[in-house]
Amino acid sequence: MMISAPSPLLQLRLPLWRSRMMLAIVFIGFGALAVRAAYLQVWHNDFLQQKGESRYSRTIEISAHRGKITDRNGEILASSTPVRSIWAIPDDVDRSVEKRRELARLLDMPLAELEKKLADEDREFVYLKRQLPPEQADRVAQLRMSGIFQQREYRRYYPAGEVAAHVLGFTGIDETGQEGIELAFQAELAGHAGSRQVIKDRRGNVIEDVASVRVPRDGRDLALSIDSKIQYLAYRELKNAVETHRAKAGGIVVMDVITGEVLALANLPVFNPNNRAHLTGAQLRNRVLTDTFEPGSTMKPFTVALAMELGMVKPTSMVQTAPGKLTIGSATISDAHPHGALSVTEVIQKSSNVGTAKLALAIDRQDMWDMLNRAGFGVVPRVQFPGAVAGRLRPSKGWRPIEQATMSYGYGLSASLLQLARAYTVFGRDGDVIDATFVKAAGPAFGSQVVHPEVAYAMRQMLELAAGPGGTAPRAQTMGYRVAGKTGTAHKQEGKGYAERKYRASFVGFAPVSAPRLVVAVMIDEPSAGRYFGGDVAAPVFSTVVGGALRILGVAPDAPMRPVVLPAEGAGVEESI
């Protein structure tokens, strides 16, 4: 047997420094890994913890229950009912055409729309349908489709529907106030949502509750000043008047003279807050607060009251209105009928433009501006409601004589219906004006003085005559109660002038005269069925509403409980416009 010689390569001896260097490199590598591991797991472990938790840990919001809105007697006007929303993880949804078609049917949507929502499979979350009734959501759950999930939500419900729509407004799909009281008191009604930390699997199922991060705080309930019975009465009568006189729109507000509480507010056109699929701007407008108009003859009592406040006249003082016209520069002011000499009381009773203008021209224009401003004209009402407007009352230094004269009977300035109702509390109270409120008040309101109590009392007697048989609004009378008030019939502005055959008819009054409790202001926009005077169109609405509201409130009658004999429609004294 031949034995081969050993290979020279096998006999090669490596240098000792080389093996030691390699060993050192290995130990250095292990040391670096140990330091890095210690750095990540001991001193800087929050990064890895965050990355890990992002794959299974979720913080989910716990909705706060929105507070209820009630009327002054506790009747619910708005509440939140539980509903469910259907959502999906597109990549996990069952691809069966039959199941998808059935899902689309249960969700009341076209299959093409469903497929479009599920088309982006890179998304981890997509809403399929929001705010489904629980019974409909249960039928979806019975499909047992993979990738389809549900979450509980709330939907706002308004039991009164369109009757109180402009008072309450509405919320959006996420229960955030959009209009009306819902918007004005969003912070109080909404409360604060809570949250909790959970562990979810890839399909979105909650496996474990980890911790409560923030406890939800439900919104507080809100008691309004509105009386549901009076609200329905006001809405019904306004709707009847708008339809009867084929009017474009209308508004009404009922205000408590003692507390300033708004007991009813309604507008037409109106909307149903429970179904806003075809909502338009005309339906949405809260005309009582946001629309201003030239108030016409409803302004005359303020001019007469100022003249008495300044000691210029008394109720029995005579004003010569013959020949029924008054020329100022190139303009002529006219009465509907020439009256000759009228007492100040008769100027209001007969609604004389000439008589009112003559009184206004004898007043310093700054004094007139100050009085109107104190009564709230040209000032944004301090009311808990979005969108309330100031109207228009120009500074007095720019008034020309013809402008001062026309403003005395309601042209050349503008106001909202709420401003008019609030201003008339001056005559229903002892000469002071109070703020309106939509929240139930704890007691009587305190106002700011506009005229002396004696002047307010005298105006009360004059306005009672204006709403009586010899005045412009005999149809404002109501059985069992003495009423007072003033009509207004004004041409509508159109372009740079006034429309010949378009009017706003209004009436503002209060009752009972012996101890005023309610102010009611009514406006009918563009009546087109033949009658357009405030005494024919707006006064009957006032009569029915104020009489019914006083009985609802249990206010004692101050007049005989016998039917009021009314003149035939249009047979009252026509007011000057």
Side-chain angles (χ1 to χ4, degrees):
M1 173 183 291
M2 182 181 290
I3 299 175
S4 61
S7 170
L9 294 176
L10 295 177
Q11 294 178 351
L12 182 65
R13 182 180 295 272
L14 293 175
L16 183 62
W17 65 266
R18 186 171 179 178
S19 60
R20 289 179 177 177
M21 183 183 71
M22 292 301 298
L23 184 62
I25 291 173
V26 171
F27 276 111
I28 289 172
F30 275 112
L33 290 176
V35 170
R36 180 62 176 169
Y39 173 76
L40 291 176
Q41 297 182 47
V42 179
W43 295 295
H44 193 62
N45 65 345
D46 54 339
F47 173 77
L48 291 179
Q49 188 74 21
Q50 179 184 356
K51 289 298 182 181
E53 288 181 355
S54 67
R55 287 163 170 76
Y56 64 82
S57 179
R58 297 288 186 272
T59 299
I60 62 175
E61 184 175 283
I62 305 174
S63 299
H65 191 275
R66 192 174 180 86
K68 297 190 294 290
I69 301 176
T70 68
D71 80 342
R72 62 185 306 102
N73 300 310
E75 185 171 333
I76 293 177
L77 298 176
S79 63
S80 296
T81 58
V83 291
R84 296 184 211 161
S85 290
I86 309 300
W87 63 279
I89 302 175
D91 189 40
D92 292 345
V93 176
D94 194 316
R95 299 181 183 276
S96 166
V97 176
E98 291 76 13
K99 281 199 171 185
R100 291 196 175 199
R101 184 178 291 112
E102 179 64 13
L103 177 62
R105 185 186 69 80
L106 292 175
L107 295 178
D108 296 323
M109 67 169 58
L111 179 60
E113 182 181 346
L114 176 64
E115 293 290 0
K116 183 178 179 180
K117 288 177 179 284
L118 297 175
D120 188 356
E121 296 186 354
D122 292 332
R123 297 176 63 183
E124 293 186 358
F125 180 95
V126 61
Y127 276 119
L128 300 181
K129 198 69 175 283
R130 303 286 301 272
Q131 297 189 345
L132 289 179
E135 58 273 13
Q136 186 177 358
D138 287 340
R139 290 195 292 271
V140 172
Q142 289 171 5
L143 279 177
R144 300 185 181 279
M145 281 185 69
S146 60
I148 302 297
F149 308 96
Q150 300 186 13
Q151 72 179 42
R152 190 178 72 168
E153 294 181 329
Y154 293 95
R155 180 181 180 182
R156 208 64 166 163
Y157 176 63
Y158 304 93
E162 62 185 24
V163 172
H166 285 109
V167 175
L168 301 172
F170 54 85
T171 62
I173 197 166
D174 293 314
E175 280 218 315
T176 301
Q178 303 291 309
E179 291 288 342
I181 291 294
E182 293 279 27
L183 173 59
F185 291 88
Q186 165 64 19
E188 293 88 342
L189 290 166
H192 297 283
S195 61
R196 62 188 177 115
Q197 191 175 9
V198 300
I199 295 176
K200 287 187 174 184
D201 64 13
R202 185 176 180 274
R203 295 181 177 274
N205 299 312
V206 176
I207 299 174
E208 180 183 350
D209 265 323
V210 177
S212 175
V213 179
R214 187 174 63 249
V215 177
R217 192 179 76 197
D218 290 341
R220 69 177 180 86
D221 296 342
L222 181 64
L224 298 185
S225 60
I226 297 296
D227 187 302
S228 292
K229 293 179 181 178
I230 298 176
Q231 176 70 28
Y232 174 75
L233 173 65
Y235 170 78
R236 184 192 69 192
E237 294 305 313
L238 178 68
K239 183 177 182 181
N240 180 60
V242 168
E243 292 175 351
T244 299
H245 297 285
R246 298 202 298 272
K248 178 181 178 181
I252 185 171
V253 58
V254 181
M255 186 173 168
D256 192 311
V257 173
I258 299 172
T259 63
E261 294 170 304
V262 175
L263 301 180
L265 180 152
N267 296 277
L268 284 171
V270 72
F271 64 95
N272 185 345
N274 296 310
N275 182 7
R276 305 188 300 275
H278 305 289
L279 183 62
T280 65
Q283 293 173 304
L284 188 60
R285 273 164 48 198
N286 189 339
R287 299 167 190 270
V288 170
L289 285 97
T290 64
D291 284 19
T292 61
F293 60 97
E294 292 182 312
S297 295
T298 57
M299 290 300 297
K300 291 175 181 175
F302 298 96
T303 303
V304 172
L306 178 57
M308 290 195 295
E309 178 77 6
L310 296 173
M312 296 167 50
V313 295
K314 297 178 180 179
T316 56
S317 300
M318 301 304 293
V319 181
Q320 182 55 257
T321 67
K325 295 181 183 295
L326 176 64
T327 299
I328 304 174
S330 60
T332 300
I333 295 171
S334 303
D335 282 339
H337 304 286
H339 297 292
L342 295 175
S343 68
V344 170
T345 296
E346 289 173 325
V347 167
I348 291 295
Q349 184 182 21
K350 306 298 182 183
S351 194
S352 170
N353 287 348
V354 173
T356 309
K358 283 189 171 182
L359 291 175
L361 291 172
I363 299 171
D364 181 81
R365 59 188 181 182
Q366 184 61 44
D367 288 340
M368 187 170 171
W369 186 92
D370 287 341
M371 191 266 196
L372 294 177
N373 181 258
R374 290 198 306 273
F377 296 103
V379 180
V380 177
R382 291 187 299 179
V383 64
Q384 317 96 320
F385 213 95
V389 295
R392 181 172 178 263
L393 179 65
R394 294 189 302 107
S396 62
K397 63 181 181 181
W399 292 3
R400 295 177 295 148
I402 184 60
E403 292 172 324
Q404 185 170 353
T406 56
M407 277 193 281
S408 72
Y409 57 87
Y411 283 91
L413 75 166
S414 66
S416 69
L417 198 61
L418 180 70
Q419 284 178 302
L420 277 175
R422 176 179 178 266
Y424 265 68
T425 63
V426 170
F427 308 127
R429 292 169 62 88
D430 289 332
D432 61 324
V433 65
I434 56 175
D435 288 327
T437 177
F438 284 86
V439 178
K440 186 176 180 180
F446 298 94
S448 55
Q449 208 67 31
V450 178
V451 296
H452 284 91
E454 297 79 10
V455 173
Y457 179 79
M459 287 305 309
R460 206 176 298 168
Q461 313 312 308
M462 295 184 201
L463 290 169
E464 183 177 13
L465 292 174
T472 57
R475 302 181 71 82
Q477 298 173 89
T478 189
M479 185 175 68
Y481 298 100
R482 295 166 57 196
V483 303
K486 187 70 189 72
T487 54
T489 308
H491 286 281
K492 290 187 66 174
Q493 286 183 307
E494 192 170 75
K496 295 183 179 181
Y498 292 90
E500 183 65 29
R501 299 183 181 277
K502 293 182 180 179
Y503 304 90
R504 281 193 179 94
S506 57
F507 185 89
V508 188
F510 50 88
V513 172
S514 59
R517 177 66 187 277
L518 298 179
V519 167
V520 179
V522 184
M523 185 276 294
I524 307 296
D525 188 8
E526 289 190 34
S528 60
R531 297 291 177 187
Y532 55 83
F533 286 110
D536 291 330
V537 176
V541 179
F542 167 87
S543 172
T544 304
V545 171
V546 80
L550 289 171
R551 284 186 282 274
I552 289 170
L553 295 174
V555 177
D558 65 343
M561 290 296 294
R562 59 172 179 260
V564 176
V565 179
L566 298 175
E569 188 173 344
V573 178
E574 292 184 356
E575 63 180 296
S576 302
I577 57 175

